[in-house]
Amino acid sequence: MTPDADDRACETPAANAHARTRACGRFTVVEVSGEIDLATAESLTEHLDAATARGEPDVLVDLRRVEFFDCSGLRVLCRAAARATERGGRLRLVSDQPRIHRLLMGAGLLGRFPPLPDVPGEGRE
């Protein structure tokens, strides 16, 4: 890949109705909102692909504003976590929603994605 192509792969995608990316200290925070399902998972994928494109990514996926999240969203998270790990980094979830915790537990992913209650270094508003 040429340096220009590398730079384009690492560009932060524009915010959309379901995801936006921001920097927070050493973390890349992907804030997710609304409903994530088969029809909208691609909106999240583009942000997670960009967040995990560089070496040693430290990505936090903030699910606190999610209204609905299904197995399509879980697939996107698992893929992004694998990409982050391959690049020497990590991907973690931020969620204070019991239904997200139940979804992770039911899918057998709670151990892989133990949710943080908030973004480290940010106080609750």
Side-chain angles (χ1 to χ4, degrees):
M1 200 181 292
T2 66
D4 290 338
D6 254 349
D7 290 341
R8 282 193 302 274
C10 296
E11 289 177 3
T12 301
N16 59 51
H18 302 285
R20 78 178 189 107
T21 300
R22 66 183 175 88
C24 180
R26 71 177 194 266
F27 307 113
T28 300
V29 179
V30 177
E31 295 177 342
V32 186
S33 61
E35 297 183 2
I36 303 300
D37 56 21
L38 184 59
T40 61
E42 187 63 31
S43 299
L44 177 56
T45 298
E46 67 179 299
H47 283 266
L48 291 176
D49 282 353
T52 58
R54 296 187 183 207
E56 299 182 20
D58 200 350
V59 180
L60 297 174
V61 182
D62 188 347
L63 300 174
R64 292 177 290 180
R65 291 175 191 84
V66 168
E67 297 165 12
F68 178 81
F69 203 85
D70 73 4
C71 60
S72 300
L74 291 177
R75 180 184 48 81
V76 169
L77 290 177
C78 289
R79 180 179 171 271
R83 281 175 48 101
T85 301
E86 287 170 4
R87 290 167 172 80
R90 62 184 174 174
L91 181 140
R92 294 178 291 163
L93 304 183
V94 176
S95 177
D96 55 4
Q97 298 183 27
R99 62 187 156 80
I100 296 290
H101 297 198
R102 285 192 303 271
L103 175 65
L104 293 169
M105 186 179 309
L109 295 172
L110 193 58
R112 182 173 181 187
F113 297 114
L116 302 169
D118 51 26
V119 175
E122 288 186 343
R124 289 209 160 231
E125 298 176 12

